[in-house]
Amino acid sequence: QVQLVESGGGLVQPGGSLRLSCAASGSIFSIDAMGWYRQAPGKQRELVAAITSGGSTNYADSVKGRFTISRDNAKNTVYLQMNSLKPEDTAVYYCNALVAIFDYWGQGTQVTVSS
């Protein structure tokens, strides 16, 4: 079992920045990859960024060059640095951990980009 707790969401103006954090606990040694997904009202949940246990990363085209995913293994925490935020980035952001064929999810944190 893996438990995930997100933090760092909030309201920000267009062009601003936020950093999301996701702290993992439990069977963290078995995590293969972690990522951030988001779900806007009326839309499907989509992958934003992911990072493997080896440090490889991938991003959705819509956030490349603006968002950066990173991890601090000592703190068992994954971060999503979001810069140059746009109104279309508004969504609930969920942290995800992949363990073999199982997905674990955090509770979600709201990010609202609005003037």
Side-chain angles (χ1 to χ4, degrees):
Q1 292 286 333
V2 174
Q3 293 79 44
L4 304 171
V5 179
E6 301 116 331
S7 61
L11 173 64
V12 63
Q13 293 186 340
S17 299
L18 282 175
R19 189 177 79 157
L20 305 182
S21 300
C22 173
S25 60
S27 302
I28 57 176
F29 60 89
S30 59
I31 294 175
D32 296 309
M34 294 187 70
W36 288 95
Y37 288 71
R38 66 186 181 188
Q39 188 167 19
K43 294 188 177 181
Q44 290 187 330
R45 190 173 297 189
E46 62 175 357
L47 174 67
V48 176
I51 184 166
T52 68
S53 57
S56 298
T57 59
N58 69 288
Y59 297 90
D61 288 342
S62 60
V63 307
K64 283 181 181 177
R66 300 188 298 123
F67 291 10
T68 302
I69 189 169
S70 61
R71 61 193 299 166
D72 184 333
N73 291 329
K75 296 182 178 180
N76 302 318
T77 299
V78 172
Y79 303 97
L80 184 67
Q81 178 66 45
M82 305 185 294
N83 298 328
S84 302
L85 283 160
K86 304 175 181 180
E88 51 263 43
D89 294 317
T90 296
V92 178
Y93 284 70
Y94 296 91
C95 181
N96 169 270
L98 178 64
V99 178
I101 61 171
F102 299 103
D103 280 301
Y104 295 90
W105 297 93
Q107 80 283 1
T109 184
Q110 177 70 46
V111 172
T112 302
V113 185
S114 176
S115 55

